[in-house]
Amino acid sequence: MATALEKPAPAVESLPAGRPRTGLRRYWHLYAAISPFYLLFLCFGLIPVGFSLYVSLHRWDGLGPMEWAGLSQYQYLLGDGDFWQSVGNTIVIWALATFPMIFLAMVTAVMLNSAVRFKNVYRFAYFLPNVTSVVAVAIVFGSVFSTNFGLVNALLQAVGLDQVAWLNTPWGIKIAIATLMTWQWTGYNAIIFLAGLQTIPGELYEAARMDGAGPVQTFFRITLPMLRPVLLFVLVVSTVTGLQSFSEPQVLLQNTANESTFSGGPGHAGRTMVLYFFQQTFDNNDFGYGAAVAWGVFLVVILFSIINWRLVQRRGED
């Protein structure tokens, strides 16, 4: 007979039959609910991007068999003067449009924020250009900047100045495109700035007024520092959209040169990077080199976005 009693082993509990399953099978209905977005992104986003990279390594006219080219397309791109001209045109147009647009959007937002009556009417009026068809607006601006019957030249003549062939000179083309882009995006960014202004506590402005700060000091000491994240967002978005401009020069300049639709006007002064991509792909039927140009555009946009982000962040740290 045993002198000591042994402690019985604990009984193993069996899992109840109705216990919910864990992992993918448990939440399959949730994954199924969000799957359409990822399927559409896969079909119309990720696969085309990967295919464009694959095409950029081949010579292809869009119909016949592909011919392996390796990195020769990119080597040619680095020495392509037309591509670098389009890069320069795009950067100049972006600069002429973005900085005045941000200034006007900021001023408009401050005015809207201080308005007492008809705020919603003003917001709608300023936002309307952004939802208007770019093609229709470009046609209207083509008439505005017309050499013989344009409104801009009529105003110049009214003050005793000579006419300017806006759509037939290099700088006139760039100014016309930049003006169109500024008019289109000022209201949109003004609404973004207005949303940022409404998050700034009113106590800060009251304390500044009690300390004797004027409107200018209040703007640079309170408003602008508090709006730095919004300014960063506006600058990055404006960089991405501005460096990918296509419809504005394509419609505005399609009847100003006896060349292809994507020539960018006389002297190719309005041929942006995306316009050059379309010219190589659909006018020259060179899909391989067009894909290489598209990746060049992507790298330029990423580079300028990083530069703008770093500049704004550095000023915030200072």
Side-chain angles (χ1 to χ4, degrees):
M1 183 174 181
T3 59
L5 295 177
E6 296 181 357
K7 185 177 180 180
V12 178
E13 297 181 359
S14 60
L15 293 176
R19 185 171 180 175
R21 292 170 292 181
T22 60
L24 181 63
R25 289 195 296 176
R26 179 182 180 183
Y27 300 104
W28 69 269
H29 56 288
L30 301 179
Y31 290 114
I34 64 175
S35 62
F37 167 79
Y38 293 100
L39 292 176
L40 291 175
F41 174 75
L42 178 66
C43 294
F44 299 102
L46 193 58
I47 292 178
V49 168
F51 183 69
S52 69
L53 182 60
Y54 175 77
V55 171
S56 68
L57 302 176
H58 296 76
R59 294 184 181 91
W60 187 40
D61 61 359
L63 295 175
M66 293 185 181
E67 179 184 351
W68 175 257
L71 298 177
S72 61
Q73 307 271 29
Y74 294 96
Q75 293 176 350
Y76 181 80
L77 180 67
L78 293 177
D80 187 359
D82 291 336
F83 171 73
W84 291 111
Q85 182 196 25
S86 69
V87 173
N89 292 339
T90 305
I91 293 174
V92 171
I93 293 171
W94 167 80
L96 291 175
T98 300
F99 297 112
M101 179 268 297
I102 291 179
F103 172 76
L104 293 174
M106 182 75 73
V107 172
T108 303
V110 172
M111 294 173 60
L112 288 174
N113 193 45
S114 61
V116 179
R117 303 177 61 186
F118 307 113
K119 283 187 177 182
N120 293 331
V121 176
Y122 295 143
R123 293 174 187 174
F124 172 78
Y126 282 111
F127 190 76
L128 185 61
N130 185 253
V131 298
T132 306
S133 171
V134 178
V135 176
V137 173
I139 293 175
V140 173
F141 268 75
S143 301
V144 171
F145 284 97
S146 175
T147 302
N148 297 321
F149 306 103
L151 177 61
V152 176
N153 279 333
L155 294 176
L156 292 178
Q157 286 184 313
V159 296
L161 299 177
D162 296 332
Q163 290 183 342
V164 177
W166 295 101
L167 301 181
N168 290 283
T169 57
W171 277 101
I173 288 173
K174 292 179 176 62
I175 292 174
I177 298 173
T179 304
L180 169 57
M181 295 171 62
T182 301
W183 183 85
Q184 181 187 6
W185 290 100
T186 295
Y188 171 83
N189 290 305
I191 300 300
I192 301 298
F193 280 129
L194 178 61
L197 287 172
Q198 292 178 346
T199 62
I200 301 177
E203 293 81 3
L204 297 179
Y205 293 106
E206 295 178 2
R209 284 193 295 268
M210 293 178 63
D211 291 339
V216 177
Q217 290 178 319
T218 302
F219 177 79
F220 285 101
R221 298 286 183 174
I222 297 178
T223 304
L224 198 57
M226 297 293 290
L227 282 181
R228 185 168 285 112
V230 180
L231 179 62
L232 175 62
F233 170 81
V234 170
L235 188 58
V236 171
V237 171
S238 299
T239 299
V240 173
T241 56
L243 294 179
Q244 297 183 78
S245 57
F246 167 74
S247 299
E248 297 88 352
Q250 195 270 334
V251 178
L252 193 63
L253 303 170
Q254 62 179 345
N255 296 322
T256 59
N258 296 323
E259 300 182 29
S260 69
T261 306
F262 311 111
S263 64
H268 311 298
R271 185 170 60 186
T272 60
M273 295 186 294
V274 178
L275 207 60
Y276 183 65
F277 155 71
F278 269 77
Q279 184 184 44
Q280 294 300 314
T281 305
F282 299 106
D283 268 6
N284 300 341
N285 292 325
D286 193 348
F287 284 77
Y289 185 61
V293 172
W295 279 97
V297 173
F298 170 75
L299 294 178
V300 172
V301 172
I302 291 296
L303 176 63
F304 269 80
S305 299
I306 293 175
I307 292 174
N308 290 328
W309 180 77
R310 290 298 302 166
L311 288 176
V312 175
Q313 287 293 98
R314 181 174 299 177
R315 291 184 63 88
E317 294 173 358
D318 296 340

